[in-house]
């Protein structure tokens, strides 16, 4: 019985990853074409799929935690390097995210 559940779990994860990838791509395209409301909806749907299936968002995809807008540097995201951190600011709502980079600086 446990083997069957494991196979079903793997199928669910594969389908979820595929749909999340499609939705994140659509959200970036919608934002670039001037449809920010649609972009937010696509990110919201992908986050709901992540929550239901316990799958994480794709590694390279960035979005604002406050307004759920996909972040594209130079378009709606400002990135600054200050001391030992990277400061990322959302252009839509102004939410600030600070990421330390001390380890990278040592190497």
């Amino acid at each position: 019985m446990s083997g069957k559940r494991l196979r079903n779990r793997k199928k669910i994860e594969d389908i979820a990853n595929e749909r999340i990838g499609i939705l994140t791509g659509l959200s970036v395209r919608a934002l670039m074409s001037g449809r920010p409301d649609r972009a937010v909806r696509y990110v919201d749907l992908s986050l709901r799929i992540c929550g239901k299936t316990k799958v994480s968002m794709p590694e390279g995809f960035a979005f604002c935690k406050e307004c759920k807008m996909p972040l594209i540097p130079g378009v709606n995201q400002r990135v600054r390097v200050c001391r030992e951190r990277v400061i990322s600011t959302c252009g839509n709502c102004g939410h600030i995210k600070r990421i330390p980079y001390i380890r990278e600086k040592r190497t």
Side-chain angles (χ1 to χ4, degrees):
M1 186 67 99
S2 63
K4 190 172 185 178
R5 283 188 196 152
L6 187 62
R7 278 189 303 213
N8 288 341
R9 175 80 184 141
K10 183 66 176 155
K11 285 181 185 177
I12 289 170
E13 286 178 4
D14 291 342
I15 293 169
N17 283 328
E18 180 183 346
R19 290 180 183 178
I20 290 168
I22 291 168
L23 285 169
T24 54
L26 285 173
S27 69
V28 170
R29 273 191 252 137
L31 182 66
M32 295 304 280
S33 67
R35 299 292 305 262
D37 54 337
R38 192 169 281 192
V40 170
R41 176 71 176 150
Y42 291 146
V43 172
D44 189 44
L45 286 172
S46 61
L47 285 172
R48 289 174 72 187
I49 292 171
C50 288
K52 289 269 189 182
T53 59
K54 297 180 183 174
V55 174
S56 60
M57 289 290 278
E59 193 68 32
F61 182 72
F63 65 96
C64 179
K65 305 287 193 239
E66 290 290 316
C67 63
K68 308 287 190 284
M69 183 74 68
L71 296 175
I72 303 169
V75 176
N76 68 341
Q77 178 187 22
R78 187 175 69 202
V79 181
R80 299 286 182 259
V81 179
C82 181
R83 295 185 189 150
E84 282 97 27
R85 47 190 122 144
V86 176
I87 300 171
S88 172
T89 307
C90 176
N92 188 37
C93 67
H95 179 71
I96 298 171
K97 181 178 179 181
R98 295 176 182 91
I99 305 166
Y101 72 97
I102 296 169
R103 270 185 257 148
E104 289 84 357
K105 198 172 182 180
R106 281 187 206 147
T107 60

